[in-house]
Amino acid sequence: MAAPLSLLRHGLSKKFFRSATKTRVLSACLQKRWLHLQEYQSKTLMKDHEIEVQHFEVVDNAEDAKSVPSRLNASEYVIKAQILAGGRGKGIFSNGFKGGVQLTKDPTKVSELVSNMVGQKLVTKQTHDDGVLVKKVMVAEALDIARETYIAILLDRQFNGPVIVGSAQGGVDIEEVAAKTPEAIFHEPVDIMEGLSKEAADRVAEKLGFTGKQHALASDQVSKLYKMFVDVDATQIEINPFVETPDGRVVCFDAKMNFDDNAEYRQKEIFDMDDLSEMDPREVEAIEHHLNYIGLEGNIGCLVNGAGLAMATMDIIKLFGGEPANFLDVGGGVTEAQVYNAFHILTADAHVKAILINVFGGIVNCETMANGIIKAYTEAHMTVPMVVRLEGQNAKSALQILMDSGLNITTASDMADAAQKVVSMLPKS
């Protein structure tokens, strides 16, 4: 992934961006609260908007799973462990059972398969080594697929509003299709004020290759997908694959959704669906205190105000041979209480052996930071060495407050000085 232009303007190296931050840090930099919806939650949301999905039920124990097949009445069933990580089909459970996605034509086997998943940890290529505890399992009808297509609705600056992106080549990596056969992808811009017309929905269905009765069904689904896109304040809804079954159904098989975090106040029910159970507890605590925190693998804790400054701070720590333990941005309007909570999160990480605080006093008063640091350091009975670099509003008096505190706090004149000092404080191995 290339570093976005907005980050490069802060003087960050592409090498550091690729090697240390990954997607979660980028998300924090862009001040987005990405929802963590399980597959069944996305399907429920679509079903509530009259969009055709597989018939399914969700269970959290084997006993309840026994009666599901009689209600679904399918010729084959797919049983899928509900975790947020990908690669479930090739995952291995803590009890040795292999595969978080199972198929069976025997209704009596459904309960047994569920019992092998619920309450077990599933390890996939996208989880940590310990795996993720499976609390729910989705039991759905397994459908044969006659043809796969791709459709997405997203906000696009190039079109100054919503655009439908589609391809008759679905069920595959759409980026690969775009690279090898870009002519196979089409765009249908939508006037946000006028909405999606029936004629436009018909064009999309036709370009996706649907004909006859399936053309009408596909057009109707496209219209409903767009209505849902607007109703839930989505920024993207991606269906891959959007399929036609041998018996003539048009079904949304899998969905990825992004939502406008600025619309949280009017989409409370959706945001309340956010599954935080698989997140690092420190990240959850940070969200509660309106902080941006991402745990990394180093041993130098970072507390910074401003996402760009946070990235630059981690970069310069690496430049001088250190490894950042986290990304922690307290924001421009930080309070003493937030400073205290930030320290609580930092010190919860046993790997943190030194802390670097790098603050630019623009909106925030550096004296507020200094007082918050002293309060947190004292009340938490901290012994971890700390380096503080302050610049901007009342920085000089704030640094004096820290020096007069008598605490084990070292001040720095600039970022390079701060990084060199904090790296030198690490225990010698």
Side-chain angles (χ1 to χ4, degrees), residues 146-319:
R147 199 171 61 86
E148 297 178 310
T149 71
Y150 170 93
I151 184 172
I153 307 173
L154 61 149
L155 293 176
D156 192 309
R157 290 184 180 181
Q158 180 181 346
F159 294 96
N160 294 316
V163 61
I164 297 175
V165 181
S167 175
Q169 300 179 26
V172 294
D173 187 342
I174 197 65
E175 285 80 8
E176 185 176 340
V177 174
K180 293 182 178 179
T181 55
E183 68 278 4
I185 297 176
F186 67 86
H187 300 81
E188 181 73 38
V190 182
D191 186 317
I192 190 69
M193 302 304 295
E194 298 294 331
L196 181 67
S197 66
K198 185 180 185 305
E199 292 74 21
D202 286 343
R203 280 197 301 272
V204 171
E206 181 179 354
K207 290 177 181 179
L208 291 174
F210 290 97
T211 59
K213 180 182 177 183
Q214 284 68 47
H215 177 274
L217 291 174
S219 176
D220 180 61
Q221 289 295 291
V222 171
S223 295
K224 288 176 177 176
L225 281 168
Y226 182 78
K227 184 177 186 304
M228 173 182 167
F229 177 83
V230 174
D231 288 349
V232 302
D233 287 297
T235 56
Q236 175 177 306
I237 296 177
E238 181 184 40
I239 310 297
N240 191 20
F242 183 49
V243 309
E244 181 179 338
T245 66
D247 60 356
R249 291 171 63 185
V250 176
V251 182
C252 295
F253 247 61
D254 196 9
K256 295 179 182 178
M257 302 182 191
N258 290 336
F259 301 88
D260 181 0
D261 58 317
N262 291 312
E264 180 178 356
Y265 72 97
R266 64 171 174 246
Q267 299 293 347
K268 191 174 186 307
E269 289 186 8
I270 293 176
F271 277 77
D272 284 347
M273 293 166 65
D274 198 352
D275 189 344
L276 303 177
S277 64
E278 295 177 30
M279 289 180 66
D280 184 325
R282 294 166 299 178
E283 293 182 27
V284 176
E285 183 179 355
I287 290 172
E288 293 174 354
H289 298 298
H290 307 288
L291 304 169
N292 290 312
Y293 175 90
I294 300 295
L296 299 174
E297 298 176 355
N299 54 8
I300 298 177
C302 305
L303 191 159
V304 181
N305 70 323
L309 189 57
M311 295 288 286
T313 301
M314 292 188 294
D315 214 9
I316 201 167
I317 285 174
K318 289 182 69 69
L319 180 65

